[in-house]
Amino acid sequence: ARRTRHDSDSEEEEAPTNKVNERTVNGLRAGYVSGKELTDTMDKKKEAENTRFKSLDDSTTGRVAETVYRGKDGKKKDPVERKKADDADEEAMKNMVWGKGLVQMEEKMALAKRVEEERSKPFARTIDDKDLNDDLRGKDRWGDPMAGKLSKTQSNRPKYKGPFPPNRYGIAPGYRWDGVDRSSGFERNYFATQNSRKVTGAAAMAWSTEFM
């Protein structure tokens, strides 16, 4: 016999439905949202937040709370004392010179001093002006035959005092040199080769004239 399917008593059984939240977390409608609806919803949300914030107590929001000043150690400081300290630091920063070396500062001071001296001198300068003659004598000119015979003014900069490895040009190291030779050894080999040639030449000369 043909088996028949057992059906329920009701011909039409309602399927279970899961209700989905039609609003998102931001209060927007789920699905497609137009630009105008988005703008209106965000404005309403912002207005509601402002209203809620204004309704809160001042002690909760800290709207009228007094500003607390703290030092580097985290301790509270008196506003008056802090204002004085800030003014002192600002004045010190104005007087501080940034990005200038000692030599540049000395040159600047020397130039300012010279400008003040030139202001007090007459406009016309004659051949008997001592400062003018000293300035002209101190200049180096190419091809001057007396340049090597005149004594130059010694510089006030510190110089290195002590022994140092010789070089072909006789240049002394800087006064901060720590005594460690960090060169490639070319100068040392150069002088060793020169001395070896001199010794070999002297020995050959002595041998050639030994039986004369």
Side-chain angles (χ1 to χ4, degrees):
R2 186 176 180 180
R3 301 178 62 180
T4 60
R5 186 180 69 177
H6 176 73
D7 296 332
S8 61
D9 296 336
S10 60
E11 294 295 337
E12 295 179 358
E13 184 177 1
E14 294 182 359
T17 58
N18 296 328
K19 292 185 177 181
V20 182
N21 187 12
E22 296 181 355
R23 296 285 176 178
T24 62
V25 179
N26 295 330
L28 298 174
R29 183 171 56 82
Y32 173 77
V33 180
S34 64
K36 185 177 183 305
E37 186 177 357
L38 175 63
T39 303
D40 295 342
T41 305
M42 297 303 295
D43 291 341
K44 291 179 180 179
K45 183 179 179 182
K46 185 176 181 181
E47 184 178 356
E49 290 179 352
N50 293 336
T51 304
R52 178 177 172 275
F53 181 78
K54 291 178 180 179
S55 64
L56 295 176
D57 187 35
D58 292 343
S59 60
T60 304
T61 60
R63 188 182 295 112
V64 294
E66 184 180 357
T67 305
V68 178
Y69 298 98
R70 299 181 182 273
K72 295 181 180 179
D73 53 358
K75 296 181 180 180
K76 292 183 179 180
K77 279 192 172 184
D78 185 21
V80 179
E81 295 181 357
R82 184 177 182 276
K83 182 67 169 55
K84 292 181 180 179
D86 291 344
D87 293 342
D89 293 342
E90 185 177 357
E91 188 66 22
M93 291 291 290
K94 289 181 180 179
N95 297 330
M96 187 176 296
V97 180
W98 295 93
K100 294 289 185 180
L102 180 59
V103 177
Q104 287 80 3
M105 291 299 299
E106 291 178 353
E107 291 179 352
K108 185 177 180 180
M109 293 174 63
L111 179 60
K113 182 179 178 181
R114 183 175 179 182
V115 170
E116 291 296 330
E117 292 177 353
E118 293 295 332
R119 286 179 180 177
S120 61
K121 294 180 180 180
F123 180 77
R125 307 187 71 174
T126 62
I127 195 172
D128 298 330
D129 193 336
K130 182 178 181 303
D131 295 334
L132 177 60
N133 293 329
D134 293 341
D135 186 27
L136 295 176
R137 289 193 184 99
K139 292 182 179 180
D140 294 331
R141 296 175 177 80
W142 183 85
D144 187 359
M146 297 295 294
K149 299 181 180 181
L150 297 176
S151 59
K152 298 295 182 180
T153 305
Q154 297 295 328
S155 175
N156 295 328
R157 297 182 182 180
K159 295 183 179 181
Y160 176 78
K161 298 179 181 179
F164 58 90
N167 54 77
R168 289 170 292 170
Y169 307 104
I171 301 175
Y175 73 97
R176 290 192 178 94
W177 184 51
D178 57 358
V180 180
D181 186 5
R182 298 179 178 85
S183 66
S184 61
F186 177 81
E187 298 288 338
R188 182 173 59 255
N189 296 334
Y190 174 81
F191 282 105
T193 303
Q194 294 293 328
N195 294 334
S196 177
R197 289 179 179 176
K198 290 181 180 180
V199 172
T200 303
M205 186 65 180
W207 178 82
S208 63
T209 59
E210 182 178 1
F211 300 101
M212 290 181 64

